[in-house]
Amino acid sequence: MVECNTAYPGKRNTTEAHWQTIKNHGFADIAPCDILDEEGETALKVNCGKHLKENYVGSHIKNYDSILMLSHFKGHAMGGLGGALKNMSIGLASSRGKLWIHNSGQGEDFDSIFTSDHNSFLELIHLIKEKHL
């Protein structure tokens, strides 16, 4: 199981809290777990990016040759519906990268994601997946 810390307050917004949540749910007892941005992040260039020129993903991404995405569908305040496409772009993004995508590269302030350009956000979910994964 691989994840990155969340960008919003909660039980997975810091590495320490995230590991505790993984432990509490018993995930570490049944599978290897990796918090991709536990030791920082790395920038990925977004070729021909309309909204972003780079995105930030957990630095542990370099340890993987491939990723199998097992997704469930759920509601998402900005994306409407979350699934594999959202998980590939937002799920692999570091905490900072999640804010960067939600804000269409216009800042890293959590509160501003609710007033950012939502159409650009939807385009970014698709473009980041298409260009990098």
Side-chain angles (χ1 to χ4, degrees):
M1 178 186 88
V2 298
E3 290 194 323
C4 282
N5 292 316
T6 63
Y8 53 83
K11 295 182 180 181
R12 296 180 299 134
N13 67 327
T14 67
T15 298
E16 296 77 22
H18 205 150
W19 277 117
Q20 187 61 51
T21 300
I22 289 169
K23 180 181 175 185
N24 291 348
H25 287 262
F27 298 143
D29 296 334
I30 61 170
C33 300
D34 187 4
I35 299 173
L36 294 178
D37 59 344
E38 179 175 18
E39 297 175 18
E41 63 189 10
T42 188
L44 293 179
K45 184 178 177 184
V46 176
N47 296 320
C48 303
K50 178 178 176 183
H51 303 286
L52 297 182
K53 301 300 179 195
E54 61 186 353
N55 186 38
Y56 307 101
V57 298
S59 64
H60 290 186
I61 194 80
K62 67 183 179 289
N63 300 331
Y64 299 91
D65 293 325
S66 62
I67 294 176
L68 172 65
M69 193 70 59
L70 301 174
S71 301
H72 65 282
F73 292 101
K74 66 180 208 170
H76 182 271
M78 289 177 68
L81 187 64
L85 196 60
K86 177 192 164 285
N87 288 349
M88 281 190 264
S89 61
I90 300 295
L92 297 177
S94 65
S95 182
R96 175 183 175 205
K98 288 173 175 55
L99 290 174
W100 191 243
I101 294 168
H102 280 84
N103 283 321
S104 302
Q106 299 300 310
E108 299 170 24
D109 175 1
F110 175 75
D111 292 328
S112 68
I113 67 172
F114 301 103
T115 58
S116 66
D117 177 3
H118 290 194
N119 288 331
S120 295
F121 166 76
L122 293 173
E123 288 178 14
L124 285 168
I125 290 175
H126 174 70
L127 291 174
I128 289 169
K129 180 280 250 182
E130 183 179 279
K131 300 291 183 187
H132 290 291
L133 301 173

